[in-house]
Amino acid sequence: MKEVSPAKAYALHLGVIALLFALSFVLPEYHHGLLARIMVLAVFAMGYNMLFGYVGLLSLGHAMFFSAGLYGAGLAVIHLGWSVPAAFAAGLACGALLALIIGVLALRTSGVAFMIVTMMFAQVFYLIILYFASWTGGDQGLVVPQSARVLVLGSTSLGLTNPTVRYMSALALFSIVLLVTLAVVRSRYGRVLVAIRENEERTKMLGYDTFSNKLAAVVVSGTICAASGAAYALLFGYVGSTFASVQYSILPLLWVLLGGAATTLGPLIGTLFMYYVVDITSGYTSAYLLIVGIALILLVLFFPKGILGTIRQRWLGWLP
């Protein structure tokens, strides 16, 4: 990747944020709500990309980090009556703590073994959710009451069920995570992560503690995913065990691969592409998965490194 000035990189990302802000005033109601959901899930994909794209660790357990934030925030509101900010913080704390514990254990392995171990931990987490059904709602999940989804700022109360508030809240979370991710990957620490991905043994020879750096990446990745989960629970009012299933560990991998691994904007592009392909094709035929599959095959053939990854490789080498 060619070096690009910080001003150019940040200008690009601020331009994307500005575009998403402007779209909130022109999109129809349906697409307004869909894009809010896409931005929240793009944060999930950005968290996954931090570990997979920049460290090279393939995980099939990130659904448990998303669900830790989801249930941490949702149960704090439903059972403890916490406010929205406190519940969101609880979701972040649950995700960060879980990521730290899983990281310490799973990083004793590498490669395929790491993938299998993370999947096993995720499955255990999924079964725990089902076992404590009296608290978690089991298969059916729980609905977060609308009356509890209110953000109080001084004397002003903002209902998160309001489409505009929900969209702007999703945009604020997406913007913060996007800019933080950009800062991290452009920092010295981000360069160390890429060095570990390319050649871990040589990175060790240079004097870097690769285990500590990878553990920090797991915690950062898990915390970002938990932020997405907590936001999903508070903005869309539902927590369910489906989000802890293996399927939701595969989806962010798919979104990142579609958009371009190790690109900061790739997760958004991949999530946006996948959601709209499914949404459009399902409106015309019940066999929409066949069309989606063909579209994905064509995308892999002509954009082997994902949409932004291939654009960066062929035309715009400065893209971060």
Side-chain angles (χ1 to χ4, degrees):
M1 184 180 72
K2 296 179 182 178
E3 188 63 30
V4 59
S5 67
K8 192 173 183 180
Y10 280 99
L12 171 65
H13 290 70
L14 290 173
V16 171
I17 293 170
L19 175 61
L20 291 172
F21 178 78
L23 286 174
S24 67
F25 299 101
V26 298
L27 285 176
E29 181 180 355
Y30 174 75
H31 295 284
H32 193 273
L34 186 60
L35 189 54
R37 193 180 302 266
I38 287 171
M39 285 190 288
V40 172
L41 293 177
V43 171
F44 183 22
M46 282 192 278
Y48 189 90
N49 188 41
M50 178 65 67
L51 194 63
F52 173 67
Y54 293 99
V55 190
L57 291 174
L58 175 58
S59 164
L60 287 181
H62 266 56
M64 64 179 159
F65 301 138
F66 180 87
S67 298
L70 184 84
Y71 278 94
L75 298 185
V77 170
I78 295 170
H79 295 302
L80 302 178
W82 288 12
S83 65
V84 167
F88 184 78
L92 284 182
C94 290
L97 179 61
L98 182 61
L100 178 61
I101 295 171
I102 298 301
V104 169
L105 298 174
L107 286 174
R108 297 173 183 271
T109 64
S110 61
V112 176
F114 179 84
M115 177 185 69
I116 294 173
V117 168
T118 53
M119 182 176 66
M120 290 171 60
F121 277 122
Q123 193 63 16
V124 170
F125 189 83
Y126 174 69
L127 293 175
I128 289 174
I129 291 173
L130 296 182
Y131 183 78
F132 291 99
S134 59
W135 276 81
T136 64
D139 282 328
Q140 294 183 350
L142 296 169
V143 175
V144 182
Q146 291 188 12
S147 58
R149 293 160 55 201
V150 177
L151 179 61
V152 179
L153 298 174
S155 58
T156 305
S157 297
L158 301 175
L160 298 181
T161 55
N162 181 286
T164 301
V165 174
R166 183 169 54 200
Y167 186 95
M168 291 304 174
S169 299
L171 177 59
L173 175 66
F174 172 81
S175 303
I176 292 170
V177 173
L178 179 65
L179 295 177
V180 168
T181 300
L182 178 62
V184 169
V185 301
R186 290 184 57 83
S187 67
R188 180 180 176 182
Y189 171 66
R191 301 298 185 186
V192 173
L193 294 183
V194 174
I196 293 172
R197 181 192 69 194
E198 297 300 321
N199 194 321
E200 184 171 353
E201 291 303 317
R202 182 170 293 179
T203 307
K204 287 181 180 178
M205 291 175 60
L206 291 173
Y208 292 101
D209 184 347
T210 58
F211 180 85
S212 296
N213 281 285
K214 288 194 294 184
L215 179 59
V218 171
V219 173
V220 172
S221 175
T223 304
I224 292 174
C225 293
S228 175
Y232 196 96
L234 297 171
L235 294 179
F236 301 104
Y238 177 73
V239 296
S241 60
T242 303
F243 295 106
S245 64
V246 175
Q247 174 191 356
Y248 268 84
S249 289
I250 296 174
L251 283 176
L253 170 61
L254 178 61
W255 297 333
V256 169
L257 289 175
L258 286 175
T263 62
T264 51
L265 290 171
L268 172 64
I269 300 299
T271 309
L272 189 69
F273 176 85
M274 191 64 185
Y275 249 79
Y276 269 101
V277 167
V278 172
D279 184 68
I280 293 171
T281 55
S282 62
Y284 290 96
T285 175
S286 58
Y288 65 93
L289 288 178
L290 175 62
I291 300 175
V292 171
I294 294 172
L296 294 180
I297 291 172
L298 293 174
L299 191 66
V300 170
L301 288 175
F302 293 100
F303 294 87
K305 291 192 174 183
I307 297 171
L308 276 190
T310 303
I311 290 174
R312 181 173 67 184
Q313 181 187 41
R314 295 179 181 174
W315 302 292
L316 301 175
W318 58 268
L319 282 175

